[in-house]
Amino acid sequence: MEGPTHVYAPTALPAPVSAAYSYCEAVTGSQARNFAYGIRLLPTDKRQAMSALYAFSRRVDDIGDGALAPDAKLARLEETRALLGRIRAEEIDEDDTDPVAVALAHAARRFPIPLGGLDELIDGVLMDVRGETYETWDDLKAYCRCVAGAIGRLSLGVFGTTAGARDAERAGEYADTLGLALQLTNILRDVREDAGNGRTYLPAEDLAKFGCAAGFHGDRAPEGSDFAGLVHHEVRRARALFAEGYRLLPMLDRRSGACVAAMAGIYRRLLDRIEREPEAVLRGRVSLPPHEKAYVAVRGLSGLDARTISRQSTRRRM
């Protein structure tokens, strides 16, 4: 069973551990376009742990997206899995030369992080390296659970749930579902970029239904297709996932809830933009300006988005 062998008190960190966390926070700040806005709202210990998770996850993703040959990527991913095994076995100490490993090992002793979720992430990136495609939503959902649902469950290990939270036993399920919502939004946003890299994530049966089976090879939808219909179909699916995943928010403490509300709020606004102008995703990466992301983060910290989301989720259940 995974979990911490002991819990650290909030005392000053050893210098090598502090430096390792600083490295991971620098990686997060420079690489995480949306993630960083949410974790800034966390207290120091949780922010450090989330940065360690991000830095390790970023390493895995970079292997999958890098220029190495497939066989070399497979070897690097297995090396990374072996490193994760050493972290799980508590074989990494503060003098190790890998700052990401040092930070993640320390975070896993601080918090009950289910490190098996990072094994799932590696499994998902292996699917990318092998060029897997997805016939149905159920097929794609299995991939999304590896690369995003697992991140939700890992994050919940850092956040924890509040004492007496209603339905707390379902918190992992909601965190997983929220991860799926974020990943499906990413897939819609990156349709053209992924096609350029030879990857297709949207289910083949959905592409065929809307006349998009030929794929995406430029800034226009396939001739005779209903690309807008395809996008709106996937947007509805993502919204349903968001509605279910948002049930997690009342189970979190204020600052953890603000973090999740901020990250999810950024993606929801991104989804709104994609819905309004579907073909924009074929012309380039759709994103929010920094000031709008900051606004969403402030709303998350104030609890405004969390309260609105909670009311919306309650209405949907009625």
Side-chain angles (χ1 to χ4, degrees):
M1 183 175 69
E2 292 182 297
T5 55
H6 55 282
V7 177
Y8 278 78
T11 55
L13 297 174
V17 175
S18 181
Y21 278 130
S22 294
Y23 174 85
C24 292
E25 290 192 271
V27 170
T28 303
S30 64
Q31 299 292 323
R33 294 182 178 90
N34 298 320
F35 186 80
Y37 281 87
I39 67 170
R40 289 173 186 168
L41 307 178
L42 294 170
T44 300
D45 57 345
K46 291 185 178 183
R47 187 184 69 247
Q48 289 171 333
M50 291 295 290
S51 294
L53 282 172
Y54 178 84
F56 190 94
S57 301
R58 180 78 266 165
R59 178 179 295 181
V60 175
D61 285 342
D62 284 348
I63 294 170
D65 293 337
L68 294 173
D71 285 349
K73 289 183 179 181
L74 295 176
R76 287 283 303 280
L77 287 170
E78 290 310 320
E79 289 171 6
T80 307
R81 195 191 298 277
L83 175 61
L84 181 60
R86 292 180 59 214
I87 293 170
R88 184 183 290 109
E90 300 190 12
E91 295 175 358
I92 301 293
D93 60 32
E94 62 187 47
D95 295 323
D96 194 277
T97 57
D98 185 337
V100 176
V102 171
L104 183 58
H106 188 270
R109 291 192 290 271
R110 264 180 164 175
F111 298 100
I113 299 173
L115 292 175
L118 290 170
D119 275 306
E120 292 180 58
L121 174 62
I122 293 170
D123 291 339
V125 174
L126 284 169
M127 294 181 199
D128 285 337
V129 173
R130 292 168 181 150
E132 293 193 23
T133 56
Y134 308 96
E135 181 64 29
T136 67
W137 164 239
D138 282 343
D139 296 334
L140 178 59
K141 187 161 58 174
Y143 166 80
C144 291
R145 289 199 187 284
C146 285
V147 298
I151 301 301
R153 285 177 267 118
L154 286 159
S155 301
L156 184 61
V158 175
F159 298 148
T161 56
T162 56
R166 183 179 177 184
D167 292 336
E169 70 280 359
R170 300 190 66 185
E173 173 189 334
Y174 296 145
D176 183 279
T177 300
L178 195 53
L180 265 63
L182 303 184
Q183 185 64 23
L184 184 53
T185 303
N186 272 338
I187 287 170
L188 287 173
R189 180 196 64 190
D190 296 339
V191 161
R192 179 177 176 178
E193 180 180 335
D194 289 333
N197 291 326
R199 294 178 182 172
T200 301
Y201 290 103
L202 291 175
E205 66 177 16
D206 292 354
L207 295 174
K209 178 179 178 180
F210 293 96
C212 296
F216 310 103
H217 306 289
D219 60 2
R220 294 183 182 275
E223 189 71 27
S225 69
D226 180 12
F227 181 72
L230 170 66
V231 170
H232 290 152
H233 175 74
E234 305 300 345
V235 165
R236 287 192 295 272
R237 177 173 279 154
R239 289 197 189 287
L241 293 167
F242 273 117
E244 179 74 9
Y246 278 142
R247 298 185 189 185
L248 174 66
L249 291 181
M251 302 177 184
L252 305 177
D253 65 67
R254 176 175 173 268
R255 290 176 71 175
S256 296
C259 171
V260 174
M263 288 190 288
I266 288 169
Y267 277 88
R268 284 179 76 230
R269 285 171 178 254
L270 185 60
L271 196 65
D272 290 342
R273 291 196 172 197
I274 293 170
E275 182 179 37
R276 286 195 301 269
E277 193 178 358
E279 293 202 14
V281 299
L282 298 177
R283 297 193 293 270
R285 178 181 281 254
V286 177
S287 63
L288 302 183
H291 74 268
E292 189 170 348
K293 293 179 182 180
Y295 171 73
V296 175
V298 170
R299 283 180 62 89
L301 188 58
S302 69
L304 290 173
D305 277 351
R307 289 194 293 271
T308 300
I309 289 161
S310 181
R311 288 196 298 269
Q312 290 173 344
S313 297
T314 300
R315 285 199 297 270
R316 288 187 178 94
R317 294 198 297 270
M318 293 176 64

